Amino acid sequence: MQFFLGGLIARIRSSRALFVLTLLGVALGVASVLSIQILNRSALGAFQGSVRAVGGEADLTVSPRGPFLPEECFPRILGQSGVASAWPVIRSQVALQGKEPIFLELVGLDLFAPRRIPWKSPPREFSQALSVPGWVAVTPTLAERMGWTVGQGFAVTLGSRRLRLQVGALVDFQKLAPLASSRLVVLDIAQAQTLLARPGEIDQVEIRLKPGANAAKTADRIRAAVGELAKVETPEERRDQAQELLGAFRLNLTALSLISLFVGAFLVYSSTLASLVRRRAEFGLMRSLGAMRGQVFRIIVGEVLLLGGLGVALGIPLGYAAARANMGSVSATLSNLYLLEEVESLKVSPATLALAALLGIGGALLGALAPAIEMSRKDHRTLLTGSTLRPVAGTTARPIFLAGVLLLGGVALWYAGPGHRWKPGGFILGIAVLLALPLIAPVVLGSGTGRLRVQSFSFAYGARSLSRSLGITSVAVAALAVAVCMLVGITVMIGSFRRTLELWIGSTIRADVYVSSESWSRSRGQAGLDPQTLETLATRDEVRSMDRLRQTFTECGGRRVSVIGVDMGLSGGESRFVLMEGRPREALRRARESGAILVGEPLARKGGWKVGDRLPIRTPFGEESLTISGIYFDYGSVQGSVAMDLAKFEKMFGQGPINTVALYMKPGADSERLVDQLLTALPDRGLQIRSNRALRDRILSIFEETFAVTRLLQAMSLIIAACGITLTLLVLAQERISELALYRALGASRPQIFRVFLGKGMALAVFGIGMGSAGGLVLALILVYGINRAYFGWTLALHFPTLALAGEALLLFSAAMLASLYPAVRASRTPATELSRDDL
Amino acid sequence: MARDGIVPSTLNGVKAADPGMPTIESPPALSFENVSKTFLVSGDIPLAALRHVSFRIPQGRKVAIIGRSGSGKSTLLHLSAGIEWPTEGAIRLMGRDLAGLGDRERTLLRRETVGLVFQFFNLLSHLSVRDNVLLPAWIASDLGPAAASRAEELLARVGLAGRLDDPIRKLSGGEMQRVAICRALLRRPKLLLADEPTGSLDDENGRVVMEQLLSLSSQEKTTLVYVTHSPELAALADETWTLHSGLLELTGGRH
Ligand SMILES: Nc1ncnc2c1ncn2[C@@H]1O[C@H](COP(=O)(O)OP(=O)(O)OP(=O)(O)O)[C@@H](O)[C@H]1O
Ligand SMILES: [Mg+2]
């Protein structure tokens, strides 16, 4: 052991830079995986936390299939055998005005229900909760953040209505569920119904079972009692649903983060290989002194374990910091796109850390495996007399290349056949591309640089000599290629997405001014605009016409989606829908005249719906099947949506306030001015008034935010790949030290050696970027046409963001050059006295 | 040699026996003036590898250096080639003071005036025989037809005309060293420094290679300084010097 440690320390000392780079690679790989795991788990944790906080220790939850549950359900649920107690809940998100609105979730509960409410300062008399108008209990965290004390009043908005609330007590939900939102606000259910103007409606019923009661059987009885109106689920089932909803999002991020780890493993491979080659004589000596194969292998593995361990230790804080930095954008994506809970705090469980540690150490071991086996298999005579890095890849380059081609070809064929119908098929093909790159790298690099015509002892001379150390140089190219492949693939995918979105916005967002409310983005159908506000808007001189929209959530064909009602007869309103199936005029006319519906692409894809099908739609009162007259492109939600005529909407879902309106102005009117005037004319109503331009910007900025994490992951894997270049060139500078010394002795100047090394870096960059770009274009096709469609159901038009790609290529190349500088300087400082005592 | 009118070497300020010869007409190929070299070993312990060494070697002279292992022979050659720096004293190569030169000028001077032959050949295994010989021309960006024919001519003179395109690893040790000698002579250096050029060869081979080295440098009129352990091979030089723990003395006189 002491021998082992001593050797290790000496080794680290002698190649500090190498060790640091490898460590950095492992740490960054671990960090990227860990940060995504933390974010994923925290997102689920936030959802579960709120389920727990709202549901108490409920065993079952009844929730509506339509927009809400009629109150009459409740007694029927309570009466079932097996039910010990049950309490209704009503929930709504309201906006607390500030620079950035804070959304509070009002939870109306039966405060006398036999469930635990973690009061911090219990109300002296519960009767207050019922009698004082606007009495609410808030979390201590929120009270502290806002500077509220018990007794203090504050105002929130729901739609265009202001609600006056008063802090009556403090309730610490985080005691019950640590990840529960601090923005939960509890009040009496009857008060809530009045305040929210939702008499007779409830959003869910929480149920405690009698001891020993069978959950499944009781659930069946409740289902029978409430009929089609509701579904009955255990907390686990609800969590699974959220998990499924987020499935694609999480899968994508996890896959991306694993790529960083993959790239990191290449670094470990290179550095292990380098250190083994340097010590081959040492190992040869050990073997000839009687050490067993296994002993040599164990020493190598021991060192890599230590490296992995240190990488994990460094990666954990890094990963946490990365998660912290991205919590905001992930939270925004979850709440904007998936309408899920915001993420307020990070959950780092021992299991997550263990997973990160396992992956980090596993990745390091994986990277070290091949060279370790190779080295321990060699007999000691080869080790003692063996040559440099060359043989490791020289003989195997061709078979590896063939394997890569076969792998890619085989998977591509499979995908063209049955594979593309299987949902994860695209992922498999993408992985095949990413795996094929490293496999074909040695041959591509070898034959590419080997063919270079060298005119002088300069850049090209360096580039050409890369082919002599393919065992290590091709690994740097592979790492860079994998990172670039991902970068290019995702850049093209995001570029295509953005372009598609811009085109879509361009044709669907045509009105001049859009009016909604601050709470609209969260509470949707419940955030109404009052008639007075509508009147004010409609009667402005500048306004030519007003497009009204109502929205709700309900179950359509077994999926809970957004349903909107708009005036299908609005003149010039066809442009609001870009149809991928059906004829626009015809589709809208049928929607207006015969109550047909239009269906958004994601829903159509997920449910397999076509024009002419009848889609069953759940209403508060039953179910109605409507004919689909068109399918429209819909990039606004992940779940999909359904659009119908406003009149039909009112018939199906009852009277209710308009949620948003779009104003078309008379020619020549200035929309920005109108926005300003409206904001002054309609103060304190929590209105969100945006010009056409501002709305488009907002949509695009939400879009960009969605990809913030993606970009971070890309950056991480590129940094690792750049480390790989530095590492490889450093290894070459060390490994070929006597060759460099010879050049110096024969009269090569320092700048010449510097250029030779820069030439090596340049060639690594060119081949890595070139191969990566080629792979990236293929990956882009897979992402745009395969993965994206299968998982999100969006049609994207392929678009190459040329400028962005060129910028990235330039950046990558500069980064690679930068990464080559230090090794090139080190190489150029090689003293001519370092001549070999051995054969070169 | 004195008969040829060549300026004699001087060692430690004392002219070697040959009075009455005409003095300086061209600068000596190599001169050391009170040169010392001290290495710091195990951190900070000073180790004197060379101590107050002075000499002048006129152009065309052949000098053999012998001495025990660790006596400073390689250090002396490294200093001469300008790949190591003296701790004290002045070194002149073809009359130019190395101390006054930066790395770039020193490198250029070495490139143009010095040829080096090493004990362990130091050939590049991935290059052919011809390309190994051409390497200095490559480095000097002077890879024309002239260099190519010069390489072929040199290789023919050491009997390797038929092996031009063979890979290095197919050569025997003696053949490898001959390739290294051709490489050193490619650019017609004024000074050829050889550190134990026969150290890796058996006696028989060593003698053949040494004779070729001497005859080639005579033909090329190159000044030659070589290190050897063999008194027999040292005797082939014009004079033999011995290093004793960093101190230089003339032992073999002038042959
Ligand atoms: N770079 C160095 N750092 C420290 N000490 C050195 C260095 N180079 C040489 N020495 C020391 O200087 C002394 C002279 O070394 P040198 O290589 O000149 O000996 P040598 O006469 O060539 O020996 P050999 O016949 O074994 O080649 C030795 O003691 C050696 O250890
Ligand atoms: Mg020596």
Side-chain angles (χ1 to χ4, degrees), chain B residues 11-51:
Chain B
L11 199 57
N12 295 332
V14 181
K15 248 186 201 157
D18 218 27
M21 295 314 295
T23 39
I24 302 158
E25 29 192 59
S26 54
L30 178 68
S31 75
F32 272 42
E33 230 166 81
N34 195 29
V35 170
S36 298
K37 174 70 181 178
T38 308
F39 291 109
L40 293 179
V41 291
S42 350
D44 48 1
I45 303 162
L47 187 150
L50 283 183
R51 290 188 274 179

Side-chain angles (χ1 to χ4, degrees), chain A residues 603-662:
Chain A
L603 176 60
R605 273 194 198 281
K606 283 176 187 162
W609 303 104
K610 299 199 171 41
V611 169
D613 290 350
R614 291 173 68 80
L615 177 70
I617 299 175
R618 175 103 1 228
T619 71
F621 318 105
E623 192 177 68
E624 196 175 335
S625 289
L626 301 179
T627 307
I628 300 172
S629 67
I631 290 171
Y632 57 92
F633 292 110
D634 173 18
Y635 303 98
S637 70
V638 185
Q639 287 302 87
S641 58
V642 170
M644 59 178 69
D645 190 52
L646 191 54
K648 180 74 188 170
F649 189 98
E650 303 235 299
K651 251 185 243 149
M652 286 179 82
F653 299 100
Q655 292 292 323
I658 293 296
N659 297 118
T660 74
V661 299

Side-chain angles (χ1 to χ4, degrees), chain A residues 387 390 454-458 461 465 468 736 738-739 742-752 831-833 835-840, chain B residues 74 78 83-85 103-104 107-108 110-111 114 116 118 120-127 132 135-136 138-141 143 169 176 183:
Chain A
S387 179
R390 191 161 26 91
V454 181
Q455 311 284 4
S456 66
F457 187 74
S458 186
Y461 186 93
S465 60
R468 282 192 287 122
R736 303 226 166 261
S738 37
E739 185 178 330
L742 175 69
Y743 294 142
R744 291 286 284 139
L746 296 182
S749 65
R750 278 186 190 170
Q752 272 181 309
T833 43
L835 280 165
S836 166
R837 321 242 127 202
D838 200 346
D839 251 351
L840 270 177
Chain B
S74 297
H78 288 164
I83 57 184
E84 196 94 70
W85 297 259
D103 181 75
R104 193 186 132 73
T107 303
L108 286 179
R110 174 165 67 248
R111 184 192 283 175
V114 181
L116 289 162
F118 314 98
F120 298 100
F121 321 144
N122 281 300
L123 297 169
L124 297 181
S125 59
H126 59 280
L127 296 180
N132 263 292
L135 192 59
W138 209 315
I139 289 173
S141 304
L143 201 62
R169 59 179 174 280
M176 286 194 198
R183 177 178 68 190

Side-chain angles (χ1 to χ4, degrees), chain A residues 70-89:
Chain A
E71 217 169 33
E72 304 84 74
C73 288
F74 182 59
R76 272 185 269 156
I77 294 166
L78 206 51
Q80 296 307 314
S81 70
V83 174
S85 59
W87 55 97
V89 181

